[in-house]
Amino acid sequence: MEETLITVQATGYSKDGKMYTSGEVLENGKVTLWWSARSGIGDSVLAKYTALYNALETLDTMNGLTQPAIILIDSQAVIRQITGMWRVHRPEVSALLNMIAILCNKASENGTRIYLRWTPRKTFKTMYEGLRNAASGQGHNTISSNISQREDISP
């Protein structure tokens, strides 16, 4: 029997040293929750890690990380670092990685699987437009899912 997964799409963007993150939760193909926020000072790497953390935190708030989920993110580098294929050298990224690990461990303790899947940036085009609009004070658009291979990030 196929798992019923909550889908979370998350991305980060940096402009002039300011980070913006955005994401949305899809259940049964419909957006049930959406966020977009200025997330502090940093580069695009920190923005993408912050977006991933925000996605996990959103799932924790929604259901205590008790329902399996797939998180779509547009950074292969982040996926390779999260899964241990690449090392993390920057202390501020390591700190975010530790916060992400805490939430993944909570999911694991609940017996819940969390999957991370890379999605090409072109799929996130409207989300990036939404981030740019958020940075300029305008509205936000949503995107549809376009998923490729799964990577399990549960411990």
Side-chain angles (χ1 to χ4, degrees):
M1 185 173 163
E2 181 76 20
E3 289 180 290
T4 302
L5 301 172
I6 295 175
T7 302
V8 181
Q9 300 174 139
T11 192
Y13 166 78
S14 180
K15 180 179 179 182
D16 300 326
K18 297 175 186 164
M19 294 187 307
Y20 300 89
T21 60
S22 184
E24 55 195 18
V25 176
L26 292 95
E27 295 178 272
N28 300 318
K30 296 188 187 229
V31 175
T32 58
L33 182 68
W34 166 91
W35 76 89
S36 184
R38 179 159 179 252
S39 300
I41 305 298
D43 60 14
S44 62
V45 172
L46 284 173
K48 290 187 186 303
Y49 268 93
T50 300
L52 177 56
Y53 176 77
N54 289 346
L56 286 163
E57 193 173 51
T58 298
L59 290 169
D60 189 27
T61 300
M62 283 177 60
N63 61 36
L65 290 166
T66 57
Q67 189 171 353
I70 186 163
I71 300 172
L72 307 176
I73 190 163
D74 62 342
S75 173
Q76 289 182 342
V78 169
I79 290 173
R80 288 180 178 139
Q81 289 174 330
I82 292 284
T83 58
M85 293 173 63
W86 289 0
R87 286 185 170 167
V88 173
H89 298 283
R90 294 172 50 191
E92 63 275 24
V93 174
S94 291
L96 275 169
L97 186 58
N98 289 336
M99 293 167 56
I100 289 166
I102 289 168
L103 290 172
C104 287
N105 286 333
K106 180 178 180 179
S108 182
E109 289 167 5
N110 293 335
T112 303
R113 305 303 283 178
I114 303 293
Y115 301 96
L116 183 62
R117 187 177 290 171
W118 172 74
T119 302
R121 283 194 176 98
K122 66 181 178 182
T123 305
F124 280 44
K125 182 178 181 232
T126 56
M127 190 173 282
Y128 273 116
E129 289 169 1
L131 284 168
R132 289 184 186 105
N133 289 341
S136 65
Q138 299 174 15
H140 182 79
N141 297 316
T142 59
I143 65 173
S144 62
S145 65
N146 177 10
I147 42 188
S148 58
Q149 73 184 47
R150 263 189 213 185
E151 296 224 23
D152 185 351
I153 61 168
S154 298

